[in-house]
Amino acid sequence: MIVAGMLGLAAALPAHADSDSWTGANNETGTVDVGSRLLLDADTGKSVAVLGSANFPTDDPNQYMADTHCRADGPDTVDPGCLALSCPATTPGGDEGTPVIWKQAPKSITNPGWTNWIPISGPTCLYDAKPENVLANIAARILNDFRQLPVNPGTLQAQPFPHTLKGGPTNFYTTATEQAFDLTILGQTVHLTATPASFTYTFGDGTSLGPTPAAGYPIPETDWLLNQTRTSHTYTATGNYPATITTSYTGTYSVNNGPPLPINGTLDLTTEPKTIQVWKTEKALVADTCQENPTSWGCPNAEK
């Protein structure tokens, strides 16, 4: 079952199921409408971004557009920077770019007038014979580009390591971090951000934890095997166990300094296995310390 979750960016104009209608509406106004929403899948717990949804509630109070007429505030006022901006072709025989200004208006305003739209960045260039199609074309391939990024999955850490004890809580955590990349996609400068969103711990003994938003954290050595964290695991048998963690990254992307848009899908990366050696403890009363009698029970030189 899919239930409504939080929203990304709302569209400046109503979204059209028919791409020709969408293009026509933008040609008429000289703008590019950008819309998105996030849905929460109750079965997987993952959010799914859906582009082009203008009327879905949003946590972002603003709606955005790329003004291809590059107007500063009113319909007849051209930003001086647009007049001076050069958008030469980026490839031999390619098309020149179109100057645009990214703008925002309050989401609470339906069909904002020009006094409602506030420039937030630009002027910058969109490169395409039909600039109104640039965002849709990038959106169609952005997930594949996102999954090709050289994202560092981080490492799985365990406390204590490499040896832990049967019956005691072993603390696990990850070093995965947010990472940013700059690419050129379809002639546009695209900034992508990969953010760790959920984690699945596989402990190697047939049990796992997650997906969970808990990345875990290191604890003082005095707490090892004593205090249990949200990401701790207790092994019930001795042995060597290959533990891994799978990090699910969500992503955003912005085109030519535009507003960040959610990527519809995740990048899931699993670390190399880390061997956890689980030992057991035994207790006994002894008369001497290991310094006094190195061959005493429990000492390194004890007789086997």
mmCIF file of all heavy atoms in Angstrom, residues 218-249:
data_model
loop_
_atom_site.group_PDB
_atom_site.id
_atom_site.type_symbol
_atom_site.label_atom_id
_atom_site.label_comp_id
_atom_site.label_asym_id
_atom_site.label_seq_id
_atom_site.Cartn_x
_atom_site.Cartn_y
_atom_site.Cartn_z
ATOM 1 N N PRO A 218 29.980 5.187 17.671
ATOM 2 C CA PRO A 218 30.958 4.533 18.552
ATOM 3 C C PRO A 218 30.655 4.838 20.019
ATOM 4 O O PRO A 218 30.104 5.894 20.348
ATOM 5 C CB PRO A 218 32.286 5.153 18.118
ATOM 6 C CG PRO A 218 31.913 6.474 17.525
ATOM 7 C CD PRO A 218 30.572 6.270 16.884
ATOM 8 N N ILE A 219 30.999 3.894 20.880
ATOM 9 C CA ILE A 219 30.793 4.068 22.321
ATOM 10 C C ILE A 219 32.123 3.868 23.038
ATOM 11 O O ILE A 219 33.047 3.239 22.490
ATOM 12 C CB ILE A 219 29.736 3.085 22.862
ATOM 13 C CG1 ILE A 219 30.148 1.626 22.603
ATOM 14 C CG2 ILE A 219 28.376 3.368 22.240
ATOM 15 C CD1 ILE A 219 29.189 0.596 23.180
ATOM 16 N N PRO A 220 32.279 4.394 24.246
ATOM 17 C CA PRO A 220 33.543 4.234 24.980
ATOM 18 C C PRO A 220 33.859 2.764 25.245
ATOM 19 O O PRO A 220 32.946 1.939 25.384
ATOM 20 C CB PRO A 220 33.285 4.987 26.295
ATOM 21 C CG PRO A 220 32.149 5.911 26.003
ATOM 22 C CD PRO A 220 31.308 5.221 24.974
ATOM 23 N N GLU A 221 35.129 2.470 25.324
ATOM 24 C CA GLU A 221 35.549 1.078 25.516
ATOM 25 C C GLU A 221 35.004 0.506 26.813
ATOM 26 O O GLU A 221 34.753 -0.702 26.907
ATOM 27 C CB GLU A 221 37.076 0.991 25.495
ATOM 28 C CG GLU A 221 37.615 -0.433 25.569
ATOM 29 C CD GLU A 221 39.115 -0.502 25.363
ATOM 30 O OE1 GLU A 221 39.703 0.544 25.022
ATOM 31 O OE2 GLU A 221 39.688 -1.600 25.539
ATOM 32 N N THR A 222 34.802 1.364 27.797
ATOM 33 C CA THR A 222 34.273 0.874 29.075
ATOM 34 C C THR A 222 32.843 0.357 28.946
ATOM 35 O O THR A 222 32.353 -0.359 29.831
ATOM 36 C CB THR A 222 34.316 1.991 30.125
ATOM 37 O OG1 THR A 222 33.654 3.167 29.590
ATOM 38 C CG2 THR A 222 35.750 2.359 30.482
ATOM 39 N N ASP A 223 32.155 0.722 27.842
ATOM 40 C CA ASP A 223 30.776 0.272 27.634
ATOM 41 C C ASP A 223 30.685 -0.977 26.763
ATOM 42 O O ASP A 223 29.601 -1.546 26.609
ATOM 43 C CB ASP A 223 29.942 1.386 26.998
ATOM 44 C CG ASP A 223 29.700 2.545 27.951
ATOM 45 O OD1 ASP A 223 29.839 2.334 29.157
ATOM 46 O OD2 ASP A 223 29.392 3.654 27.477
ATOM 47 N N TRP A 224 31.815 -1.383 26.172
ATOM 48 C CA TRP A 224 31.780 -2.540 25.288
ATOM 49 C C TRP A 224 31.299 -3.774 26.067
ATOM 50 O O TRP A 224 31.699 -4.007 27.211
ATOM 51 C CB TRP A 224 33.164 -2.836 24.714
ATOM 52 C CG TRP A 224 33.680 -1.773 23.780
ATOM 53 C CD1 TRP A 224 33.070 -0.607 23.427
ATOM 54 C CD2 TRP A 224 34.943 -1.792 23.117
ATOM 55 N NE1 TRP A 224 33.860 0.110 22.567
ATOM 56 C CE2 TRP A 224 35.024 -0.589 22.345
ATOM 57 C CE3 TRP A 224 36.006 -2.675 23.078
ATOM 58 C CZ2 TRP A 224 36.133 -0.280 21.567
ATOM 59 C CZ3 TRP A 224 37.111 -2.364 22.300
ATOM 60 C CH2 TRP A 224 37.173 -1.185 21.557
ATOM 61 N N LEU A 225 30.441 -4.543 25.408
ATOM 62 C CA LEU A 225 29.908 -5.795 25.943
ATOM 63 C C LEU A 225 29.029 -5.601 27.175
ATOM 64 O O LEU A 225 28.583 -6.580 27.781
ATOM 65 C CB LEU A 225 31.047 -6.782 26.273
ATOM 66 C CG LEU A 225 31.899 -7.227 25.083
ATOM 67 C CD1 LEU A 225 33.115 -8.010 25.569
ATOM 68 C CD2 LEU A 225 31.069 -8.081 24.118
ATOM 69 N N LEU A 226 28.774 -4.328 27.520
ATOM 70 C CA LEU A 226 27.929 -4.050 28.675
ATOM 71 C C LEU A 226 26.638 -3.328 28.287
ATOM 72 O O LEU A 226 25.555 -3.720 28.704
ATOM 73 C CB LEU A 226 28.703 -3.201 29.707
ATOM 74 C CG LEU A 226 29.942 -3.858 30.318
ATOM 75 C CD1 LEU A 226 30.669 -2.862 31.221
ATOM 76 C CD2 LEU A 226 29.558 -5.110 31.099
ATOM 77 N N ASN A 227 26.768 -2.270 27.499
ATOM 78 C CA ASN A 227 25.611 -1.453 27.126
ATOM 79 C C ASN A 227 25.184 -1.744 25.696
ATOM 80 O O ASN A 227 26.015 -1.799 24.784
ATOM 81 C CB ASN A 227 25.926 0.036 27.286
ATOM 82 C CG ASN A 227 26.146 0.407 28.742
ATOM 83 O OD1 ASN A 227 25.633 -0.266 29.642
ATOM 84 N ND2 ASN A 227 26.910 1.460 28.971
ATOM 85 N N GLN A 228 23.903 -1.913 25.481
ATOM 86 C CA GLN A 228 23.359 -2.237 24.164
ATOM 87 C C GLN A 228 22.826 -0.980 23.498
ATOM 88 O O GLN A 228 22.028 -0.249 24.077
ATOM 89 C CB GLN A 228 22.239 -3.280 24.283
ATOM 90 C CG GLN A 228 21.707 -3.737 22.928
ATOM 91 C CD GLN A 228 20.950 -5.051 23.035
ATOM 92 O OE1 GLN A 228 21.143 -5.798 23.991
ATOM 93 N NE2 GLN A 228 20.121 -5.327 22.065
ATOM 94 N N THR A 229 23.280 -0.723 22.264
ATOM 95 C CA THR A 229 22.793 0.397 21.477
ATOM 96 C C THR A 229 21.694 -0.081 20.529
ATOM 97 O O THR A 229 21.379 -1.279 20.468
ATOM 98 C CB THR A 229 23.927 1.032 20.655
ATOM 99 O OG1 THR A 229 24.344 0.095 19.640
ATOM 100 C CG2 THR A 229 25.120 1.373 21.547
ATOM 101 N N ARG A 230 21.124 0.856 19.762
ATOM 102 C CA ARG A 230 20.072 0.488 18.798
ATOM 103 C C ARG A 230 20.591 -0.441 17.720
ATOM 104 O O ARG A 230 19.814 -1.160 17.084
ATOM 105 C CB ARG A 230 19.488 1.746 18.148
ATOM 106 C CG ARG A 230 18.649 2.608 19.065
ATOM 107 C CD ARG A 230 18.114 3.816 18.330
ATOM 108 N NE ARG A 230 17.298 3.439 17.206
ATOM 109 C CZ ARG A 230 16.870 4.295 16.279
ATOM 110 N NH1 ARG A 230 17.203 5.576 16.350
ATOM 111 N NH2 ARG A 230 16.117 3.882 15.269
ATOM 112 N N THR A 231 21.907 -0.416 17.477
ATOM 113 C CA THR A 231 22.475 -1.235 16.403
ATOM 114 C C THR A 231 23.381 -2.333 16.949
ATOM 115 O O THR A 231 24.205 -2.874 16.211
ATOM 116 C CB THR A 231 23.249 -0.342 15.417
ATOM 117 O OG1 THR A 231 24.236 0.417 16.142
ATOM 118 C CG2 THR A 231 22.309 0.616 14.703
ATOM 119 N N SER A 232 23.255 -2.660 18.233
ATOM 120 C CA SER A 232 24.040 -3.757 18.804
ATOM 121 C C SER A 232 23.452 -5.110 18.401
ATOM 122 O O SER A 232 22.265 -5.212 18.070
ATOM 123 C CB SER A 232 24.073 -3.655 20.334
ATOM 124 O OG SER A 232 24.861 -2.564 20.754
ATOM 125 N N HIS A 233 24.300 -6.137 18.465
ATOM 126 C CA HIS A 233 23.852 -7.508 18.202
ATOM 127 C C HIS A 233 24.539 -8.448 19.171
ATOM 128 O O HIS A 233 25.735 -8.286 19.483
ATOM 129 C CB HIS A 233 24.180 -7.923 16.769
ATOM 130 C CG HIS A 233 23.803 -9.340 16.459
ATOM 131 N ND1 HIS A 233 22.490 -9.782 16.457
ATOM 132 C CD2 HIS A 233 24.572 -10.433 16.162
ATOM 133 C CE1 HIS A 233 22.459 -11.059 16.169
ATOM 134 N NE2 HIS A 233 23.701 -11.486 15.976
ATOM 135 N N THR A 234 23.804 -9.435 19.656
ATOM 136 C CA THR A 234 24.347 -10.427 20.584
ATOM 137 C C THR A 234 24.438 -11.774 19.876
ATOM 138 O O THR A 234 23.416 -12.320 19.424
ATOM 139 C CB THR A 234 23.469 -10.545 21.835
ATOM 140 O OG1 THR A 234 23.418 -9.274 22.505
ATOM 141 C CG2 THR A 234 24.024 -11.599 22.782
ATOM 142 N N TYR A 235 25.648 -12.299 19.760
ATOM 143 C CA TYR A 235 25.851 -13.611 19.151
ATOM 144 C C TYR A 235 25.601 -14.690 20.203
ATOM 145 O O TYR A 235 26.055 -14.580 21.348
ATOM 146 C CB TYR A 235 27.266 -13.726 18.602
ATOM 147 C CG TYR A 235 27.510 -12.866 17.382
ATOM 148 C CD1 TYR A 235 28.049 -11.589 17.508
ATOM 149 C CD2 TYR A 235 27.195 -13.328 16.113
ATOM 150 C CE1 TYR A 235 28.274 -10.795 16.391
ATOM 151 C CE2 TYR A 235 27.416 -12.545 14.983
ATOM 152 C CZ TYR A 235 27.955 -11.280 15.126
ATOM 153 O OH TYR A 235 28.171 -10.495 14.023
ATOM 154 N N THR A 236 24.895 -15.722 19.807
ATOM 155 C CA THR A 236 24.513 -16.777 20.748
ATOM 156 C C THR A 236 25.388 -18.020 20.630
ATOM 157 O O THR A 236 25.188 -18.985 21.365
ATOM 158 C CB THR A 236 23.051 -17.186 20.520
ATOM 159 O OG1 THR A 236 22.886 -17.643 19.168
ATOM 160 C CG2 THR A 236 22.120 -15.998 20.769
ATOM 161 N N ALA A 237 26.331 -18.020 19.719
ATOM 162 C CA ALA A 237 27.229 -19.165 19.555
ATOM 163 C C ALA A 237 28.596 -18.656 19.142
ATOM 164 O O ALA A 237 28.727 -17.602 18.508
ATOM 165 C CB ALA A 237 26.684 -20.142 18.513
ATOM 166 N N THR A 238 29.619 -19.390 19.500
ATOM 167 C CA THR A 238 30.969 -19.021 19.097
ATOM 168 C C THR A 238 31.172 -19.329 17.620
ATOM 169 O O THR A 238 30.445 -20.117 17.009
ATOM 170 C CB THR A 238 32.007 -19.783 19.930
ATOM 171 O OG1 THR A 238 31.796 -21.196 19.746
ATOM 172 C CG2 THR A 238 31.884 -19.439 21.408
ATOM 173 N N GLY A 239 32.191 -18.694 17.036
ATOM 174 C CA GLY A 239 32.485 -18.924 15.629
ATOM 175 C C GLY A 239 32.953 -17.650 14.956
ATOM 176 O O GLY A 239 33.071 -16.585 15.586
ATOM 177 N N ASN A 240 33.218 -17.759 13.665
ATOM 178 C CA ASN A 240 33.611 -16.612 12.852
ATOM 179 C C ASN A 240 32.446 -16.237 11.936
ATOM 180 O O ASN A 240 31.947 -17.081 11.180
ATOM 181 C CB ASN A 240 34.848 -16.936 12.027
ATOM 182 C CG ASN A 240 36.066 -17.202 12.901
ATOM 183 O OD1 ASN A 240 36.173 -16.670 14.010
ATOM 184 N ND2 ASN A 240 36.983 -18.027 12.414
ATOM 185 N N TYR A 241 32.041 -14.963 11.965
ATOM 186 C CA TYR A 241 30.842 -14.532 11.243
ATOM 187 C C TYR A 241 31.165 -13.352 10.320
ATOM 188 O O TYR A 241 31.704 -12.334 10.774
ATOM 189 C CB TYR A 241 29.749 -14.130 12.225
ATOM 190 C CG TYR A 241 29.325 -15.255 13.133
ATOM 191 C CD1 TYR A 241 29.825 -15.365 14.432
ATOM 192 C CD2 TYR A 241 28.432 -16.232 12.698
ATOM 193 C CE1 TYR A 241 29.448 -16.400 15.269
ATOM 194 C CE2 TYR A 241 28.041 -17.274 13.522
ATOM 195 C CZ TYR A 241 28.556 -17.350 14.811
ATOM 196 O OH TYR A 241 28.174 -18.390 15.627
ATOM 197 N N PRO A 242 30.831 -13.472 9.011
ATOM 198 C CA PRO A 242 31.077 -12.371 8.069
ATOM 199 C C PRO A 242 29.939 -11.341 8.141
ATOM 200 O O PRO A 242 28.836 -11.581 7.652
ATOM 201 C CB PRO A 242 31.115 -13.079 6.715
ATOM 202 C CG PRO A 242 30.203 -14.276 6.894
ATOM 203 C CD PRO A 242 30.341 -14.688 8.339
ATOM 204 N N ALA A 243 30.214 -10.198 8.723
ATOM 205 C CA ALA A 243 29.196 -9.158 8.883
ATOM 206 C C ALA A 243 29.344 -8.102 7.793
ATOM 207 O O ALA A 243 30.458 -7.755 7.395
ATOM 208 C CB ALA A 243 29.314 -8.505 10.256
ATOM 209 N N THR A 244 28.218 -7.602 7.309
ATOM 210 C CA THR A 244 28.218 -6.540 6.298
ATOM 211 C C THR A 244 27.127 -5.535 6.638
ATOM 212 O O THR A 244 26.263 -5.782 7.482
ATOM 213 C CB THR A 244 27.943 -7.090 4.885
ATOM 214 O OG1 THR A 244 26.635 -7.692 4.852
ATOM 215 C CG2 THR A 244 28.982 -8.122 4.475
ATOM 216 N N ILE A 245 27.175 -4.406 5.945
ATOM 217 C CA ILE A 245 26.090 -3.423 6.045
ATOM 218 C C ILE A 245 25.769 -2.918 4.645
ATOM 219 O O ILE A 245 26.673 -2.663 3.840
ATOM 220 C CB ILE A 245 26.456 -2.251 6.975
ATOM 221 C CG1 ILE A 245 25.240 -1.336 7.177
ATOM 222 C CG2 ILE A 245 27.654 -1.472 6.454
ATOM 223 C CD1 ILE A 245 25.430 -0.293 8.255
ATOM 224 N N THR A 246 24.480 -2.830 4.345
ATOM 225 C CA THR A 246 24.017 -2.274 3.076
ATOM 226 C C THR A 246 23.412 -0.910 3.353
ATOM 227 O O THR A 246 22.485 -0.789 4.151
ATOM 228 C CB THR A 246 22.977 -3.188 2.409
ATOM 229 O OG1 THR A 246 23.578 -4.462 2.136
ATOM 230 C CG2 THR A 246 22.473 -2.582 1.108
ATOM 231 N N THR A 247 23.962 0.105 2.707
ATOM 232 C CA THR A 247 23.484 1.471 2.871
ATOM 233 C C THR A 247 22.647 1.851 1.663
ATOM 234 O O THR A 247 23.077 1.674 0.522
ATOM 235 C CB THR A 247 24.647 2.457 3.033
ATOM 236 O OG1 THR A 247 25.421 2.086 4.172
ATOM 237 C CG2 THR A 247 24.133 3.879 3.223
ATOM 238 N N SER A 248 21.450 2.357 1.918
ATOM 239 C CA SER A 248 20.561 2.812 0.849
ATOM 240 C C SER A 248 20.658 4.329 0.780
ATOM 241 O O SER A 248 20.292 5.034 1.725
ATOM 242 C CB SER A 248 19.120 2.379 1.133
ATOM 243 O OG SER A 248 18.262 2.787 0.085
ATOM 244 N N TYR A 249 21.177 4.819 -0.346
ATOM 245 C CA TYR A 249 21.350 6.255 -0.547
ATOM 246 C C TYR A 249 20.180 6.826 -1.342
ATOM 247 O O TYR A 249 19.779 6.265 -2.374
ATOM 248 C CB TYR A 249 22.634 6.546 -1.324
ATOM 249 C CG TYR A 249 23.902 6.286 -0.563
ATOM 250 C CD1 TYR A 249 24.449 5.002 -0.490
ATOM 251 C CD2 TYR A 249 24.577 7.314 0.085
ATOM 252 C CE1 TYR A 249 25.623 4.750 0.212
ATOM 253 C CE2 TYR A 249 25.756 7.082 0.789
ATOM 254 C CZ TYR A 249 26.265 5.802 0.843
ATOM 255 O OH TYR A 249 27.424 5.560 1.533
#
